[in-house]
Amino acid sequence: ALLVLLVMLPFASRVSLEAVMIALAFQKFLGWFLSSWAVYRAVKFPITRQILAGSSVLIAALVMGGGIWWAAGHLPDDWSDLTRVAAIIGLGIALYVAGLLIAAPAMARHVVYGNAAEGGPEDGDRESPESVMKIYSDTEDFQGFRYGGKTNA
């Protein structure tokens, strides 16, 4: 995937910034596909179930991207560049959490409240991987997945 980007980037940079971003997006999707294929080969976790597991994050990202794209053209022209960037960043954060709230409410609560969403410590302690995975293992996407002789079902 990195080699594809290295080949595409010199050509895309001569066209426009949008072409560079499309090349980067293509590289990310290709990298994701190759990673998913490697996960499937290593632990036999089906690619379709990996897509379903990651779809909530993709939906949130699309909501955020669409909202930012729309807002960037509708902000007042008399705002300074710094104010426009700050407004777009704040809007992006809010839209991403809102998109996540729609697509995966449990994950959104975890993003907003951290451990407190699961009844854990609120003093900023780092979470164990088991507590983080509990949110995802309770979803339908991961039910019945076998790895290392254990079943999540």
Side-chain angles (χ1 to χ4, degrees), residues 24-48:
L24 286 169
F26 179 75
Q27 184 258 343
K28 295 295 180 193
F29 278 109
L30 180 62
W32 180 87
F33 176 76
L34 293 173
S35 297
S36 298
W37 181 67
V39 167
Y40 173 74
R41 298 265 308 180
V43 297
K44 302 296 185 237
F45 188 62
I47 293 175
T48 54

Side-chain angles (χ1 to χ4, degrees), residues 99-119:
L100 205 54
L101 191 60
I102 293 167
M107 193 183 311
R109 281 192 304 275
H110 191 71
V111 167
V112 173
Y113 299 112
N115 282 341
E118 296 296 315

Side-chain angles (χ1 to χ4, degrees), residues 30-118:
L30 180 62
W32 180 87
F33 176 76
L34 293 173
S35 297
S36 298
W37 181 67
V39 167
Y40 173 74
R41 298 265 308 180
V43 297
K44 302 296 185 237
F45 188 62
I47 293 175
T48 54
R49 291 184 63 191
Q50 292 180 55
I51 291 170
L52 289 174
S55 64
S56 57
V57 176
L58 178 62
I59 291 168
L62 291 173
V63 167
M64 178 188 71
I68 288 174
W69 178 75
W70 179 85
H74 291 83
L75 290 176
D77 292 332
D78 59 343
W79 285 10
S80 71
D81 289 341
L82 183 60
T83 305
R84 292 172 67 88
V85 168
I88 287 176
I89 289 172
L91 178 66
I93 293 169
L95 286 173
Y96 187 81
V97 172
L100 205 54
L101 191 60
I102 293 167
M107 193 183 311
R109 281 192 304 275
H110 191 71
V111 167
V112 173
Y113 299 112
N115 282 341
E118 296 296 315

